[in-house]
């Protein structure tokens, strides 16, 4: 049986003018809509108390398990307003399936995919006025789940909260669509075999921050991680997958090894780039192949992809003692640009949705 979601509307939603000013320049992850969804899980009750309710702080006991042992997972996907005013999400079931896989890895209870999708739908319908119009704007949905039991023993929690919040989104990078620079992390890895790299769990991001900080200190925007065993194979960035465009017009992305997050944007690009006429390969990519290929011209373009960043060109790769730039480091390469446009066109309803990726919400 699917979850019953009660709706308790806010009595003090933000005034229209305030919302309009946020939607005019939303940035990323800074402002949240008037409501949120919560549902609770206990061993005896299963998932229950599902509701849309006014957005508000959560009160947590200082012994709440997640604050100590990081039993927490999250997702990210977007809702788009099409030209006719309708609102659609992009592949929400795929996010729901990944959420369930992350839950299994973190010993959290699984939320059925249909409930995951219905929870987001209920929030979007309640806060429909917060879905921006036009351009490349969207409403970013952030479902998450964490151990809310107040208990310091180390074991899977018996009291878990599922929550969905939403935030109007523009460009993830403040400078807009311009090539970002990447710092190669040689001291830190993101994920090891048998670890949690393929799960979207909070701890992965916590562990990436010192490397991201190093990237910023080195004058770069983002950090790239290598595999933890040989320190040789390119995995991904802290929050995005990577693609390489070769001089024969084929495109390559690191294969899924269990330590890389299986990006839904990554998977969609495999399909779309094929339809644009590119040969797409999933295989291991060595860091030397990146360095040498960028220098020789064998690699013509590099781009990163993810829900928040969509498709973002990568220009410079820097490491201790060297750097190399793909393209002119300033403009967006033609393949990156075509893939980016094709993806955005499907999401915004400007290109036929041949794969049934769009889910109508309202
Ligand atoms: N890799 C990591 C580590 C991420 O956090 C994300 C973002 O969600 C991605 C890749 C891209 O995944 P998706 O395309 O599903 O957003
Ligand atoms: C996303 O793209 O949805 C992400 O989760 C990346 C980052 C904001 C954590």
């Amino acid at each position: 049986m699917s979850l019953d979601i009660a709706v308790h509307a806010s009595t003090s939603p933000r005034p229209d003018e305030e919302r309009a000013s946020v939607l005019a320049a939303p940035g990323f992850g800074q402002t949240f809509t008037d409501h949120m969804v919560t549902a609770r899980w206990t061993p005896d009750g299963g998932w229950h108390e599902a509701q849309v309710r006014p957005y508000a702080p959560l009160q947590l006991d200082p012994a709440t398990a997640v604050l100590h042992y990081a039993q927490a997972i999250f997702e990210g996907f977007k809702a788009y307003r099409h030209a006719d005013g309708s609102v659609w999400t992009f592949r929400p079931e795929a996010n729901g399936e990944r959420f369930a896989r992350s839950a299994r890895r973190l010993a959290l209870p699984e939320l059925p995919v249909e409930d995951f999708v219905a929870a987001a739908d209920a929030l979007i319908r309640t806060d429909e006025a917060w879905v921006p119009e036009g351009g490349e704007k969207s409403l970013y949905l952030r479902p998450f789940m964490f151990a809310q039991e107040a208990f310091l023993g180390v074991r899977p929690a018996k009291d878990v909260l599922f929550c969905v919040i939403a935030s109007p989104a523009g460009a993830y990078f403040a400078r807009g669509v311009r090539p970002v620079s990447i710092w190669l992390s040689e001291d830190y890895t993101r994920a090891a075999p048998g670890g949690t790299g393929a799960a979207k769990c909070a701890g992965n991001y916590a562990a990436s921050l010192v490397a991201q900080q190093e990237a910023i200190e080195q004058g770069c925007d983002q950090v790239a991680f290598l595999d933890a065993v040989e320190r040789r194979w390119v995995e991904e960035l802290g929050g995005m997958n990577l693609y390489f465009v070769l001089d024969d017009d084929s495109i390559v992305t690191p294969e899924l090894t269990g330590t890389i997050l299986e990006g839904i944007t990554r998977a969609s690009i495999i399909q779309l780039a094929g339809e644009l006429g590119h040969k797409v390969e999933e295989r291991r990519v060595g860091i030397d192949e990146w360095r040498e290929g960028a220098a020789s011209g064998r690699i013509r373009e590099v781009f990163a992809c993810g829900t928040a960043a969509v498709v973002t060109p990568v220009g410079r790769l820097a490491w201790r003692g060297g750097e190399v730039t793909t393209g002119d480091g300033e403009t967006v390469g033609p393949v990156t640009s075509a893939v980016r446009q094709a993806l955005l066109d499907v999401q915004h309803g400007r290109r036929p949705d041949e794969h049934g990726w769009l889910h109508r919400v309202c």
Side-chain angles (χ1 to χ4, degrees):
M1 202 188 71
S2 56
L3 207 53
D4 240 350
I5 305 173
V7 178
H8 304 292
S10 169
T11 50
S12 53
R14 245 75 53 81
D16 290 349
E17 316 79 69
E18 193 179 322
R19 191 179 61 242
S21 102
V22 171
L23 296 187
F28 182 83
Q30 297 163 40
T31 311
F32 301 90
T33 63
D34 292 317
H35 296 85
M36 62 187 190
V37 170
T38 54
R40 185 176 174 205
W41 179 92
T42 52
D44 296 338
W47 287 108
H48 59 285
E49 293 173 21
Q51 53 182 315
V52 174
R53 54 162 158 143
Y55 187 95
L58 300 170
Q59 200 175 33
L60 298 179
D61 187 292
T64 301
V66 69
L67 301 177
H68 303 270
Y69 309 129
Q71 200 188 5
I73 58 171
F74 71 97
E75 268 303 326
F77 63 101
K78 287 174 169 172
Y80 306 86
R81 189 179 294 283
H82 288 186
D84 66 358
S86 58
V87 175
W88 305 69
T89 49
F90 183 72
R91 308 189 73 177
E93 300 85 3
N95 291 87
E97 283 157 15
R98 188 170 67 190
F99 198 57
R101 293 198 297 277
S102 298
R104 282 200 289 280
R105 181 62 184 83
L106 272 285
L108 283 162
E110 276 180 51
L111 179 73
V113 171
E114 65 185 68
D115 293 327
F116 175 95
V117 173
D121 285 358
L123 179 60
I124 298 164
R125 287 192 189 111
T126 309
D127 281 334
E128 193 205 326
W130 286 91
V131 184
E133 269 174 26
E136 298 188 359
K137 293 177 194 166
S138 59
L139 183 69
Y140 182 78
L141 282 308
R142 171 54 65 90
F144 59 104
M145 186 194 290
F146 65 90
Q148 69 169 351
E149 185 179 356
F151 176 63
L152 294 184
V154 182
R155 59 145 171 78
K158 292 181 184 165
D159 193 342
V160 171
L161 192 75
F162 168 67
C163 194
V164 191
I165 56 175
S167 175
Y172 183 71
F173 292 105
R175 289 186 302 139
V177 191
R178 292 196 49 208
V180 294
S181 52
I182 304 290
W183 174 251
L184 179 69
S185 182
E186 293 176 277
D187 297 329
Y188 305 106
T189 57
R190 177 185 170 275
T196 56
K200 208 161 164 58
C201 63
N204 288 347
Y205 299 81
S208 77
L209 294 179
V210 66
Q212 174 65 25
Q213 209 169 29
E214 189 178 279
I216 302 291
E217 282 162 15
Q218 296 292 336
C220 294
D221 301 301
Q222 288 285 309
V223 61
F225 291 101
L226 298 176
D227 78 286
V229 178
E230 294 183 66
R231 304 286 182 104
R232 174 177 173 201
W233 306 106
V234 177
E235 298 220 306
E236 60 180 320
L237 307 186
M240 287 156 241
N241 293 117
L242 275 170
Y243 269 95
F244 300 86
V245 182
L246 306 187
D247 60 357
D248 60 4
D249 248 9
S250 66
I251 74 172
V252 179
T253 190
E255 69 184 4
L256 301 173
T257 55
T259 53
I260 296 176
L261 192 80
E262 194 173 345
I264 290 149
T265 317
R266 174 189 179 280
S268 307
I269 290 172
I270 291 176
Q271 188 76 38
L272 285 176
E275 289 161 18
L276 293 174
H278 299 280
K279 180 172 156 247
V280 187
E281 236 188 313
E282 294 176 80
R283 63 164 168 83
R284 296 206 290 187
V285 177
I287 186 61
D288 288 342
E289 181 178 352
W290 187 351
R291 285 179 175 138
E292 289 159 19
S296 71
R298 168 72 175 145
I299 294 175
R300 284 209 178 128
E301 299 173 38
V302 183
F303 64 85
C305 67
T307 298
V310 194
V311 169
T312 295
V314 171
R316 191 164 63 97
L317 169 71
W319 61 91
R320 266 199 298 270
E323 64 173 63
V324 69
T325 299
T326 316
D328 62 10
E330 289 295 322
T331 49
V332 187
V335 177
T336 303
S337 180
V339 166
R340 186 170 191 283
Q341 202 54 51
L343 179 65
L344 282 168
D345 283 350
V346 175
Q347 291 169 334
H348 288 266
R350 301 182 295 249
R351 181 186 171 99
D353 173 26
E354 285 165 7
H355 307 287
W357 286 340
L358 293 176
H359 165 78
R360 182 160 186 167
V361 182
C362 49

